[in-house]
Amino acid sequence: MIPQKSVRAAIYLRHSPKPEAKRNNDSIENQRAACVRYAQFAGLNIVTELVQEFQSARLVPFAKRGGTQVIELARSAGVRHLVCQRVDRIFRDVADGLQSMELLRRNKISLHFADEGGSALNCDTATGQMLFTVRLAFAAFEPALTAERTRAAMTQMLAEMICLSPSAPYGFAVDGKRIKGGGSRPNRDRWKLKFNMDEVRNLQLMHKWQFIDGLSYQ
């Protein structure tokens, strides 16, 4: 039987650019299962799925991660519902999320979330829209906070001339023995660095050739 247009749905699945293949595959399967369960409960007929692998929802706008395809499906196949597992699977940027929601609304596409903290979320309702906006803020906050902490940790390591690998970057050399890790990674060894003055002089010469003499790297 051909699904009625009013209940035709697409499901949206995404995993991050991080290369852990097995974890990514598990994530897609978990998302798919949650979306299928929700669609069955809500009486929606899934006609297709959009799988976005190795895609960043923070750096790549929704339009380039399947958003254009969703609009085309609405016009060509009568898809009226888009089902995702959670908000952070489709949006990690507040502006992108709000703009995309408005685009979906103008094209008469309802957005659903199958499992937001154990509860489903239908963004057609006033309560759903409010909760979506709040959850969107947290979805954007989480990666931004992680990036902020990473930058702070890297700045501190740079100030202390600490390296996480015994392979020193050009211009440096490993100075002495391993240093036991600390903080949240107590079992991870680190290495103290010192300047390799021969390599430093080469870098200074390269800098002069490029920025003062105007030569290319080649």
Side-chain angles (χ1 to χ4, degrees):
M1 184 178 73
I2 300 175
Q4 298 179 11
K5 286 187 176 181
S6 61
V7 295
R8 286 181 176 175
I11 60 177
Y12 184 94
L13 315 169
R14 180 191 71 83
H15 66 64
S16 70
K18 295 180 179 179
E20 293 87 344
K22 186 178 187 304
R23 190 188 72 176
N24 286 337
N25 184 65
D26 291 345
S27 174
I28 291 294
E29 291 302 321
N30 291 338
Q31 292 175 55
R32 181 181 289 114
C35 291
V36 169
R37 285 195 301 269
Y38 174 84
Q40 293 172 344
F41 173 79
L44 303 177
N45 291 297
I46 299 171
V47 297
T48 189
E49 63 180 38
L50 300 164
V51 181
Q52 301 294 312
E53 297 181 297
F54 301 104
Q55 290 284 350
S56 170
R58 185 169 66 94
L59 302 176
V60 181
F62 176 60
K64 296 182 178 179
R65 288 184 289 103
T68 301
Q69 292 173 263
V70 174
I71 303 305
E72 291 175 353
L73 287 169
R75 295 169 180 171
S76 63
V79 168
R80 290 288 171 258
H81 303 270
L82 182 63
V83 183
C84 308
Q85 183 191 28
R86 300 191 310 270
V87 172
D88 60 17
R89 293 299 83 204
I90 186 169
F91 302 122
R92 283 287 196 180
D93 179 85
V94 173
D96 181 47
L98 295 177
Q99 292 168 3
S100 299
M101 173 66 83
E102 178 60 21
L103 179 63
L104 294 174
R105 188 191 65 78
R106 288 202 306 268
N107 285 274
K108 298 179 181 179
I109 302 171
S110 300
L111 185 59
H112 306 257
F113 296 102
D115 185 11
E116 273 295 340
S119 300
L121 189 60
N122 182 349
C123 294
D124 273 350
T125 67
T127 301
Q129 292 174 9
M130 182 272 291
L131 293 174
F132 166 75
T133 303
V134 173
R135 186 64 184 90
L136 179 60
F138 278 98
F141 169 73
E142 290 164 356
L145 181 61
T146 299
E148 186 177 281
R149 288 173 172 169
T150 300
R151 285 194 300 270
M154 295 301 292
T155 299
Q156 182 63 30
M157 288 175 60
L158 181 62
E160 297 178 0
M161 293 185 67
I162 296 294
C163 183
L164 295 178
S165 168
S167 300
Y170 194 74
F172 296 89
V174 172
D175 181 17
K177 299 180 180 180
R178 298 180 182 182
I179 304 171
K180 288 297 182 182
S184 61
R185 304 291 295 274
N187 297 322
R188 183 169 186 176
D189 291 339
R190 302 176 296 170
W191 283 262
K192 183 74 173 177
L193 299 177
K194 64 180 179 180
F195 288 113
N196 181 324
M197 296 312 300
D198 289 335
E199 294 180 358
V200 168
R201 283 189 286 270
N202 288 340
L203 290 170
Q204 291 171 335
L205 184 59
M206 292 164 63
H207 183 273
K208 174 182 179 298
W209 283 345
Q210 183 185 14
F211 294 102
I212 298 178
D213 298 341
L215 301 180
S216 68
Y217 280 120
Q218 185 177 0

